[in-house]
Amino acid sequence: MEEGKNGEGVQKLGAKATVCVTGASGYLASWLIKRLLQSGYRVRGTVRDPGNHKKLSHLWSLEGAEERLELVKADLMSEGSFDDAVMGCEGVFHTASPVIGVKSNPKDEILDPAIKGTLNVLRSCKKNPSLKRVVLTSSSAAVRAREDMDPLIPLDESYWSSPDLCQKFEIWYALSKTLAEKAAWEFAKENGIDLVTVLPAFVVGPSLPSDLCSTASDVLGLLRGETQKFAWHGRMGYVHIDDVAGCHILVYEKAEAQGRYLCSSKVVENYELSSLLAKRYPSLPIPTRFDNLVGDRTYYDFDTSKVRRLGLEFKGVEEMFDDCIAAFQKQGHLPITQ
């Protein structure tokens, strides 16, 4: 420890342990790595092709990456693929998962990679004697796909989405997150792994990768006036990407953290969100009406008191979209407005 200006102890940059982040090039994982490097961790990220410098350039440009970032090859569907990646790491953040979207074969494209991929990572974690905790990125979708919701009772971490309902309405993303998280809890319990899960709402904020993921693309579509991009949202929770990354680090570092943690700033209807944004950014063609709405119209809210008790304070909807829009403008996706 170094002595700070006011006499308090200050952790030396780089003195923290090594942690692993799966799916390192992804939207959330990239931001998590940014925050981990800023906090002084050494980070080992897994990617499909460490040699793809163009796709990974945003990671190598992060502050501290040259000294404390290592990228290694791993494949979700290959058992043992994560053995070398997690070995020696005190913490593992498993963020890699199939993305939302229409799939021709949901089982092969979403369900198997989510469930089998999660178990493959945990099997590798089991072999690592240095492991202290695993933080798994689940989703609020693993909570809110239910038929018996009481609008007067906010959803908390005790709720689970209904697999039968997800299958009936082909909500493959929610099903994959629900089944993958349940499989993770069962494996962790059987094998003595200290597991904590984070359940983010819809993530909004700057994208570090140049190729936008489906989440960022949906937001960009809304800002460009493409009503179909948000027609399926209905009522939705939203959260700043920096808060999600911070939540992952918080539940990893806090010894008292245990179980599941919902991570959502505010739940709003899509027309409420678009009206707010249209007033805030009048020069953008943001729609204020959504015809042919296909999303869930059931009223619900989230109880996020559990993660707030750990000390997490959420940024508001305005700030998350301000940061997101500013990044889109800087990247050339949107015109710069006054």
Side-chain angles (χ1 to χ4, degrees):
M1 301 282 282
E2 290 181 340
E3 193 73 359
K5 292 182 179 180
N6 299 319
E8 69 271 25
V10 178
Q11 182 78 37
K12 280 188 177 181
L13 191 66
K16 291 190 177 180
T18 301
V19 296
C20 177
V21 178
T22 68
S25 63
Y27 178 45
L28 171 59
S30 297
W31 201 270
L32 174 57
I33 289 173
K34 174 184 177 180
R35 288 288 304 272
L36 286 166
L37 290 172
Q38 289 174 341
S39 297
Y41 286 95
R42 302 191 69 85
V43 181
R44 189 177 299 151
T46 71
V47 293
R48 291 180 181 178
D49 180 10
N52 190 339
H53 299 293
K54 181 179 180 180
K55 184 177 180 180
L56 304 175
S57 61
H58 65 284
L59 293 176
W60 291 119
S61 66
L62 294 173
E63 182 180 355
E66 185 176 344
E67 300 82 17
R68 289 177 283 110
L69 176 63
E70 176 188 6
L71 296 179
V72 299
K73 181 179 177 63
D75 186 334
L76 279 177
M77 297 304 288
S78 177
E79 186 170 351
S81 179
F82 291 86
D83 287 1
D84 292 340
V86 305
M87 191 59 63
C89 293
E90 292 190 1
V92 174
F93 297 88
H94 179 41
T95 73
S97 183
V99 297
I100 304 172
V102 178
K103 304 295 183 181
S104 58
N105 189 329
K107 184 178 186 298
D108 290 342
E109 297 178 55
I110 291 188
L111 297 181
D112 282 353
I115 301 166
K116 293 181 179 179
T118 295
L119 292 176
N120 280 339
V121 171
L122 290 176
R123 289 189 188 99
S124 294
C125 290
K126 180 184 175 182
K127 303 173 186 176
N128 175 18
S130 303
L131 183 71
K132 292 184 177 179
R133 175 168 286 175
V134 176
V135 179
L136 169 70
T137 309
S138 184
S139 170
S140 64
V143 162
R144 56 183 165 79
R146 303 172 56 87
E147 291 181 302
D148 58 347
M149 286 192 290
D150 184 337
L152 300 178
I153 303 177
L155 298 171
D156 63 20
E157 290 84 0
S158 67
Y159 289 84
W160 286 90
S161 289
S162 164
D164 290 341
L165 182 70
C166 292
Q167 287 183 309
K168 178 180 178 181
F169 291 101
E170 299 184 351
I171 314 172
W172 303 120
Y173 179 74
L175 181 60
S176 72
K177 285 296 189 180
T178 302
L179 297 182
E181 189 187 349
K182 284 193 171 186
W185 280 116
E186 183 177 353
F187 186 92
K189 183 178 180 180
E190 292 175 351
N191 294 278
I193 292 176
D194 183 350
L195 175 70
V196 179
T197 62
V198 176
L199 288 67
F202 190 91
V203 182
V204 178
S207 174
L208 296 180
S210 56
D211 294 334
L212 300 182
C213 67
S214 61
T215 303
S217 295
D218 279 358
V219 175
L220 181 60
L222 174 71
L223 300 173
R224 287 176 170 174
E226 301 169 14
T227 58
Q228 72 275 16
K229 289 287 188 179
F230 256 58
W232 60 271
H233 276 224
R235 186 169 177 81
M236 183 72 72
Y238 295 90
V239 63
H240 197 299
I241 191 169
D242 191 55
D243 289 339
V244 183
C247 181
H248 280 69
I249 297 173
L250 183 68
V251 301
Y252 171 68
E253 293 183 338
K254 290 279 190 178
E256 66 269 29
Q258 58 180 336
R260 312 169 83 203
Y261 286 89
L262 275 167
C263 186
S264 175
S265 173
K266 188 174 183 180
V267 182
V268 295
E269 301 284 352
N270 58 0
Y271 64 83
E272 293 177 315
L273 174 67
S274 60
S275 295
L276 181 155
L277 295 176
K279 292 177 182 177
R280 199 169 182 84
Y281 290 90
S283 64
L284 295 177
I286 300 169
T288 55
R289 287 189 57 187
F290 294 87
D291 297 324
N292 302 318
L293 188 70
V294 297
D296 181 12
R297 300 300 294 173
T298 304
Y299 182 90
Y300 69 90
D301 207 344
F302 288 132
D303 177 357
T304 57
S305 59
K306 185 179 179 184
V307 75
R308 292 176 189 271
R309 286 195 296 269
L310 282 184
L312 184 63
E313 297 182 2
F314 290 103
K315 299 175 178 63
V317 172
E318 294 87 349
E319 184 173 354
M320 67 180 78
F321 276 92
D322 285 350
D323 290 349
C324 184
I325 290 170
F328 280 152
Q329 291 172 333
K330 184 177 181 181
Q331 295 163 344
H333 296 300
L334 287 175
I336 297 177
T337 57
Q338 297 299 321

